[in-house]
Amino acid sequence: MPNKPEPCILCIFGATGDLAHRKILPALFEMSNAGELPEQTIILGIGRNKNKSDIAFRHDVLESIQKSGASDVDAITTWCEARIFYQGIAKGTQDEFKKLRAKIVNLEKKRTLKGNRIFHLAIPPVGFGPTVKSLGGAGLNASDGWTRLVIEKPFGRDYKSALELNNLITQFFTEDQIYRIDHYLGKETVQNILAFRFGNALFESVWNREKIEKVEIVVAESLGIESRADYYEKSGALRDMVQNHLTQLLTLAAMEIPLAFKAEDLRFEKVKVLRSISPIRAEDVILGQYTEGELGGNGVRGYRQEDGVRSDSKTPTFVALKMRVENWRWHGVPFYLTTGKRLKEQKSEIIITFRVPPVALFKSSDGREAHSNVLIIALQPNEGFRISFQVKKPGSEIAVQSEWMHFSYNEAFGPMPDAYYTLLRDVMLGDQSLFVSADETLASWKLYTPVLNAHRSLHNYPAGSWGPKEAEALKG
Amino acid sequence: MPNKPEPCILCIFGATGDLAHRKILPALFEMSNAGELPEQTIILGIGRNKNKSDIAFRHDVLESIQKSGASDVDAITTWCEARIFYQGIAKGTQDEFKKLRAKIVNLEKKRTLKGNRIFHLAIPPVGFGPTVKSLGGAGLNASDGWTRLVIEKPFGRDYKSALELNNLITQFFTEDQIYRIDHYLGKETVQNILAFRFGNALFESVWNREKIEKVEIVVAESLGIESRADYYEKSGALRDMVQNHLTQLLTLAAMEIPLAFKAEDLRFEKVKVLRSISPIRAEDVILGQYTEGELGGNGVRGYRQEDGVRSDSKTPTFVALKMRVENWRWHGVPFYLTTGKRLKEQKSEIIITFRVPPVALFKSSDGREAHSNVLIIALQPNEGFRISFQVKKPGSEIAVQSEWMHFSYNEAFGPMPDAYYTLLRDVMLGDQSLFVSADETLASWKLYTPVLNAHRSLHNYPAGSWGPKEAEALKG
């Protein structure tokens, strides 16, 4: 694998959208500043507006990059002028895609590019199928260099639709051209789960059913649905968070040791985990929806009162699941997945609870018989690790007390690169390690589709709480 | 076991000495302030000076307690008047011991004490035998209450002398009356080794030859021999530090899980460790003696130039040993013991190095193939724990880097009680857990006596270094 990306043209569908301006374009500017974007590489924004000029788009990009924190207007201006171009595609006709192709070929000629192309679909999911078809129709699925397709989540909305989408895409693109983004995999701390597990013999040697009592994966959001009612009403917490982000964390925490740290080996092990999971039982699913409540001292609306949400909406904003990974390593160890909106705090954590000592030699200062060691891998906020352990309480009485040891990723390394920086760079390098394979996506949907289809009761929880109390009973 | 000490009379031999004034008496005052010393309990200082009065001795005690940090002169005065008495014994004649007995009986009557007595031998080792004999001769080895004998180190100077001393003592006192002090065992962090090991399933489960590569026990002193040339010339580092302190740390780190946290169970397991150790091989011993050097920017003298040291002294001020604990848990795991005077820094640590992962999935940022996890139990300074582990270095390259997680005992709990506080309280409570049994002492001497008797070359090391370079080669 090359260490520095080859020059290419990066075509962003949805170039006038939020994701492009908040994440993708600032990441590219950063990459350029870090000397990781070859000089010839250019960015072609593609949007619905046919009347937008290169100059108008550059102006939008400049503003977005300024908003992201960069302050040197001259430098941004120079960058935009050298790198940024625009092409309108209003209806997605064959003709429009031919024009797109002409523009690409033309730009490549000017820059003496060898035909390396990335098509990044930063558009609503409904557009994935048609866009891929049109790209294929215009012959843009292959070139003299490499051609890569980047697809944002969600990849389908259940097993059937994911399979259909995949079948459609693979008519034009092979699996090694497809980069399915789960931006969680671009986070340093998520990648660090593997480094932590397989770089530390101390921890890997206790990473199994003999030593671990349970594994909890929590992604709690204090935010509501913001202005995304339209998307969220059709999606809900299971599609929005569990099928992708939480499941990725689960596979990284549970997977066997891969042959090497390479895409194919990682994907192989992740799929194995997914296929080891028993069908999720009805009693192991708790769905919830937030009602009016209080967060940070402010009253907030209930989900059904949000703009654009139906007043009788059945969309879950909270999911708690108990899962069983039925393999030699994990048999009997429950995995609990929990996510929700409008919860008390914003945090993403993997919580590994080790088994208590078989014999309690010491009294605990809080009167309990024995305490577990707990390892928390925190993804946000305060990325890092902490381990709880028992120490002797000073004084004559021989009693122990729980204390914590901390490691903060930020304190040790300073600010971390944004996930999109990491992921876009990997696309350019052709490294699929941090992208989701078709097999993974489909195995994941296979697991959750029965849950989506089944009728489950919806438990209310007040905004600002930790979710419905029924979820706690799951862990009972 | 009672939770609060019963009233008693504590007789301190060597009451005008350094140990009594720096450690024992301030600890007793502290204990009294904490409400842990019953009101009837009194302290009878015994010294060579026959002309010293109770009042004169109280004055000395007052000054010592002030020096130790207490400031309320009225409170100290009241305490001394109520608690402190003095008895001179110049030559140790039978007659003098009879007078001592009369004084004790008289004080007990006045205070309606039931005859609980402690004899604390805070005197040079040469006095242990004669004093015990005289106590026995005067019938002070038993009373209507309990009688306990506290002996400071060193207990003998080799196997034979320790055995003789023990035989002499046991003519008058039974093992359950004898409290052999190793003040390291009074330190909170030393006791914490056991709480840490047996309160944390996570660590105990990796505490064996499968997971651990080596164990190092380091007690480094930056101090020289101060004004103790007379003692040190006859003792040396092996007798002064290794046979007691370092060996205690070794047994605590290596012992099996005791049946309960009780004296008999702990002693049983500690002796088992000592008996598992193979005879120390000649090539596994490095002795050293410091020469002129520099410490903290100041020039310091060599050992042979210290006042009271012979200019051709062969006394080792440094010892490094490699030891093999030949049992199921530790076979093949070397234990390295290192101690010395005038070393670069003052520190006492147990360093557990875990085995590296069998396969290095990640490059290390320093180019090395794989790194061990290391657990350091720090006894001083900064009592606590730290664990090194590998984390992913931020950035696209998948490389790991060593980082540390810390726990500071002081930060969590504030200042800790002095070892003498803990130990004296345990003597009064009749708890022998933190004292050294005869079996332990003898097993330890049995191990080191051949080393003492053999002729070993003495390697010079400059004061302010980490010892002779030959010691590093031991770990090769």
Side-chain angles (χ1 to χ4, degrees):
Chain A
M1 208 158 296
N3 247 333
K4 223 185 153 171
E6 296 174 79
C8 69
I9 179 164
L10 169 59
C11 307
I12 306 172
F13 285 87
T16 56
D18 185 58
L19 180 63
H21 285 266
R22 248 181 350 101
K23 293 289 183 182
I24 300 173
L25 290 158
L28 291 166
F29 181 69
E30 272 294 301
M31 212 181 292
S32 193
N33 281 342
E36 298 202 278
L37 207 64
E39 250 180 73
Q40 290 159 276
T41 293
I42 49 178
I43 296 141
L44 175 61
I46 298 155
R48 289 271 181 216
N49 185 344
K50 292 197 76 147
N51 298 321
K52 198 182 268 290
S53 61
D54 283 350
I55 291 183
F57 183 58
R58 283 173 191 154
H59 185 236
D60 299 344
V61 174
L62 176 106
E63 284 187 340
S64 297
I65 290 175
Q66 281 184 302
K67 259 190 222 159
S68 80
S71 57
D72 185 342
V73 183
D74 286 349
I76 308 172
T77 304
T78 309
W79 186 77
C80 287
E81 281 173 352
R83 307 275 197 168
I84 302 288
F85 300 86
Y86 182 82
Q87 175 74 17
I89 292 188
K91 291 179 180 167
T93 60
Q94 222 177 318
D95 191 49
E96 285 177 320
F97 273 86
K98 275 189 190 147
K99 279 191 186 140
L100 171 64
R101 184 182 174 156
K103 175 125 186 181
I104 291 172
V105 171
N106 188 30
L107 284 168
E108 285 176 343
K109 232 176 241 163
K110 267 198 201 158
R111 295 290 180 121
T112 61
L113 285 164
K114 286 190 293 183
N116 294 330
R117 298 169 186 167
I118 298 169
F119 298 101
H120 190 146
L121 309 195
I123 53 179
V126 67
F128 292 165
T131 305
V132 168
K133 219 169 169 172
S134 301
L135 284 170
L140 282 166
N141 53 333
S143 65
D144 291 339
W146 42 253
T147 298
R148 292 170 188 156
L149 181 72
V150 181
I151 306 185
E152 293 287 336
K153 70 152 200 179
F155 194 91
R157 48 180 286 106
D158 54 17
Y159 180 71
K160 189 165 160 281
S161 57
L163 188 62
E164 282 167 6
L165 177 58
N166 202 54
N167 286 344
L168 183 134
I169 295 174
T170 51
Q171 283 175 38
F172 305 101
F173 294 90
T174 53
E175 177 68 15
D176 66 350
Q177 292 184 286
I178 307 168
Y179 291 73
R180 292 175 201 81
I181 282 193
D182 183 327
H183 73 267
Y184 262 51
L185 291 177
K187 289 175 189 274
E188 282 288 336
T189 37
V190 171
Q191 297 164 47
N192 201 3
I193 297 169
L194 297 183
F196 189 80
R197 283 189 57 194
F198 305 128
N200 295 284
L202 174 58
F203 293 102
E204 183 50 26
S205 67
V206 293
W207 211 262
N208 57 57
R209 63 189 300 273
E210 302 283 336
K211 308 300 178 198
I212 290 178
E213 189 184 301
K214 63 180 173 187
V215 177
E216 292 161 275
I217 294 169
V218 178
V219 178
E221 296 181 290
S222 54
L223 288 177
I225 53 162
E226 309 298 292
S227 57
R228 297 160 66 227
D230 203 36
Y231 157 75
Y232 203 85
E233 269 286 87
K234 281 181 245 149
S235 161
L238 199 67
R239 286 189 180 92
D240 186 46
M241 299 295 288
V242 176
Q243 186 271 336
N244 35 65
H245 305 326
L246 279 85
T247 301
Q248 284 296 329
L249 298 180
L250 165 69
T251 55
L252 295 176
M255 72 192 273
E256 294 301 315
I257 302 155
L259 203 58
F261 202 87
K262 283 184 183 152
E264 62 190 87
D265 299 314
L266 292 169
R267 288 167 166 208
F268 182 78
E269 295 301 342
K270 282 157 78 185
V271 169
K272 256 173 61 189
V273 172
L274 293 171
R275 292 181 49 205
S276 312
I277 299 174
S278 302
I280 300 163
R281 299 178 302 192
E283 65 266 37
D284 290 343
V285 181
I286 301 292
L287 302 180
Q289 193 184 65
Y290 64 83
T291 56
E292 207 178 31
E294 209 185 280
L295 246 165
N298 300 316
V300 295
R301 290 186 287 192
Y303 180 68
R304 291 183 179 179
Q305 286 78 53
E306 302 277 13
D307 298 332
V309 171
R310 286 174 47 181
S311 62
D312 63 348
S313 169
K314 294 275 193 301
T315 303
T317 62
F318 175 97
V319 184
L321 294 169
K322 179 178 174 179
M323 290 165 82
R324 291 164 298 148
V325 182
E326 287 296 343
N327 58 23
W328 275 53
R329 189 188 281 264
W330 295 117
H331 172 83
V333 180
F335 281 70
Y336 298 104
L337 272 56
T338 309
T339 187
K341 290 201 173 286
R342 285 290 191 222
L343 296 183
K344 199 179 175 72
E345 281 168 30
Q346 189 89 7
K347 68 171 180 185
S348 303
E349 290 179 347
I350 301 177
I351 305 161
I352 314 282
T353 303
F354 293 91
R355 298 196 185 280
V356 295
V359 173
L361 273 188
F362 308 98
K363 265 190 224 154
S364 181
S365 59
D366 63 5
R368 277 166 59 188
E369 264 279 295
H371 282 262
S372 297
N373 293 116
V374 179
L375 166 68
I376 298 184
I377 302 175
L379 310 172
Q380 67 158 328
N382 307 323
E383 295 89 337
F385 304 97
R386 46 191 203 276
I387 297 178
S388 83
F389 59 102
Q390 313 305 310
V391 293
K392 183 181 173 299
K393 223 184 127 188
S396 315
E397 189 201 9
I398 302 290
V400 291
Q401 184 166 315
S402 277
E403 292 289 335
W404 289 89
M405 235 185 273
H406 294 263
F407 170 75
S408 158
Y409 214 64
N410 270 86
E411 276 171 30
F413 296 110
M416 279 175 286
D418 185 76
Y420 270 89
Y421 185 114
T422 306
L423 294 175
L424 287 168
R425 189 177 183 278
D426 280 359
V427 174
M428 292 178 191
L429 287 169
D431 183 350
Q432 292 187 302
S433 306
L434 303 180
F435 297 85
V436 184
S437 70
D439 287 349
E440 279 178 80
T441 311
L442 293 173
S444 175
W445 278 123
K446 203 170 220 167
L447 196 59
Y448 296 112
T449 300
V451 179
L452 286 165
N453 292 340
H455 173 79
R456 309 265 184 227
S457 45
L458 196 62
H459 302 276
N460 287 333
Y461 63 97
S465 70
W466 280 116
K469 55 188 177 315
E470 287 81 0
E472 269 312 299
L474 251 193
K475 302 189 185 178
Chain B
M1 207 159 296
N3 245 333
K4 223 184 152 171
E6 295 175 79
C8 70
I9 181 165
L10 168 59
C11 307
I12 306 172
F13 286 87
T16 57
D18 184 57
L19 180 63
H21 284 265
R22 249 180 349 101
K23 292 290 183 181
I24 302 173
L25 290 157
L28 291 165
F29 180 70
E30 271 295 301
M31 212 182 291
S32 194
N33 280 342
E36 299 202 277
L37 205 66
E39 249 179 73
Q40 288 158 277
T41 293
I42 50 178
I43 297 141
L44 177 59
I46 298 155
R48 288 271 182 218
N49 185 345
K50 291 198 75 150
N51 298 321
K52 198 181 268 288
S53 62
D54 284 350
I55 290 182
F57 183 58
R58 281 171 193 156
H59 185 237
D60 299 343
V61 174
L62 176 105
E63 284 186 339
S64 298
I65 290 175
Q66 282 183 302
K67 259 189 222 159
S68 78
S71 58
D72 185 342
V73 182
D74 286 350
I76 308 172
T77 305
T78 308
W79 187 78
C80 286
E81 281 173 352
R83 307 276 195 166
I84 302 289
F85 300 87
Y86 182 81
Q87 176 72 18
I89 292 187
K91 292 177 182 168
T93 61
Q94 221 177 319
D95 191 49
E96 285 177 319
F97 272 86
K98 274 188 190 148
K99 278 191 187 141
L100 171 63
R101 183 183 177 155
K103 176 123 184 183
I104 290 171
V105 172
N106 188 29
L107 283 168
E108 286 177 339
K109 230 176 240 164
K110 268 198 200 157
R111 294 291 180 119
T112 61
L113 285 163
K114 287 189 294 183
N116 294 331
R117 298 168 187 168
I118 298 169
F119 297 103
H120 190 148
L121 309 195
I123 55 178
V126 65
F128 293 165
T131 307
V132 168
K133 218 167 169 175
S134 300
L135 284 170
L140 281 166
N141 53 333
S143 66
D144 292 340
W146 43 254
T147 298
R148 292 169 189 155
L149 181 72
V150 181
I151 305 184
E152 293 287 337
K153 70 153 201 181
F155 194 90
R157 51 180 284 108
D158 55 16
Y159 180 71
K160 188 165 160 279
S161 57
L163 188 62
E164 282 167 4
L165 177 59
N166 201 55
N167 286 343
L168 183 135
I169 295 174
T170 51
Q171 283 174 37
F172 305 102
F173 294 89
T174 54
E175 178 67 17
D176 65 350
Q177 292 183 287
I178 306 167
Y179 291 73
R180 293 174 200 80
I181 282 193
D182 182 326
H183 72 267
Y184 262 52
L185 292 176
K187 290 175 189 272
E188 283 289 335
T189 36
V190 171
Q191 296 163 50
N192 202 4
I193 297 169
L194 297 183
F196 188 80
R197 284 190 54 195
F198 305 128
N200 296 284
L202 173 59
F203 293 101
E204 183 50 26
S205 67
V206 292
W207 211 262
N208 56 58
R209 61 188 301 271
E210 302 283 337
K211 309 299 178 197
I212 290 178
E213 187 185 303
K214 62 180 173 186
V215 177
E216 293 161 276
I217 295 169
V218 178
V219 179
E221 296 181 290
S222 54
L223 289 177
I225 55 162
E226 308 297 292
S227 56
R228 298 159 67 228
D230 202 37
Y231 157 76
Y232 203 85
E233 270 284 89
K234 280 180 247 151
S235 162
L238 198 69
R239 289 189 178 92
D240 185 45
M241 298 296 289
V242 176
Q243 184 273 336
N244 36 64
H245 306 326
L246 278 86
T247 302
Q248 284 296 329
L249 298 180
L250 165 69
T251 56
L252 296 175
M255 71 191 273
E256 295 300 315
I257 302 154
L259 204 58
F261 202 87
K262 282 184 184 154
E264 62 190 85
D265 299 314
L266 292 169
R267 289 167 164 208
F268 181 78
E269 296 300 342
K270 282 157 75 184
V271 170
K272 255 172 60 190
V273 173
L274 293 171
R275 291 180 49 206
S276 314
I277 298 173
S278 302
I280 299 164
R281 299 178 301 192
E283 65 265 36
D284 291 342
V285 181
I286 301 293
L287 302 180
Q289 192 183 65
Y290 63 84
T291 55
E292 209 178 29
E294 207 185 281
L295 246 166
N298 301 315
V300 295
R301 289 186 288 192
Y303 179 68
R304 290 184 180 179
Q305 287 76 53
E306 302 275 14
D307 297 333
V309 171
R310 285 174 47 182
S311 62
D312 63 347
S313 170
K314 294 274 193 303
T315 304
T317 61
F318 174 98
V319 184
L321 293 170
K322 177 178 175 180
M323 291 165 83
R324 292 165 298 147
V325 182
E326 287 297 342
N327 59 24
W328 276 53
R329 188 186 283 263
W330 295 117
H331 172 83
V333 181
F335 281 71
Y336 298 104
L337 273 56
T338 309
T339 187
K341 290 203 174 284
R342 286 288 189 222
L343 296 183
K344 197 178 177 71
E345 281 168 30
Q346 189 90 8
K347 69 171 180 184
S348 303
E349 291 179 345
I350 301 177
I351 304 161
I352 315 281
T353 302
F354 293 90
R355 297 196 186 280
V356 295
V359 174
L361 275 188
F362 309 98
K363 263 189 225 155
S364 182
S365 60
D366 63 4
R368 276 169 57 190
E369 263 281 294
H371 281 262
S372 297
N373 292 115
V374 179
L375 166 68
I376 298 183
I377 303 176
L379 310 171
Q380 66 161 331
N382 307 323
E383 295 90 336
F385 304 98
R386 47 190 201 278
I387 297 179
S388 83
F389 58 102
Q390 313 306 309
V391 293
K392 184 182 173 298
K393 224 185 127 188
S396 314
E397 189 201 9
I398 302 291
V400 293
Q401 182 165 317
S402 277
E403 293 289 334
W404 289 89
M405 234 185 273
H406 294 263
F407 171 75
S408 157
Y409 215 62
N410 269 86
E411 276 171 30
F413 296 111
M416 280 176 285
D418 184 76
Y420 271 88
Y421 185 114
T422 306
L423 295 174
L424 288 168
R425 188 176 183 279
D426 280 359
V427 174
M428 293 178 190
L429 287 168
D431 182 350
Q432 291 185 303
S433 307
L434 304 180
F435 298 86
V436 184
S437 70
D439 288 347
E440 277 177 81
T441 311
L442 294 172
S444 175
W445 279 122
K446 203 170 221 164
L447 196 59
Y448 297 112
T449 300
V451 180
L452 287 166
N453 292 340
H455 172 78
R456 310 265 183 229
S457 45
L458 196 61
H459 303 276
N460 287 333
Y461 63 96
S465 69
W466 280 115
K469 55 188 179 313
E470 288 81 1
E472 269 314 300
L474 250 194
K475 301 188 185 179

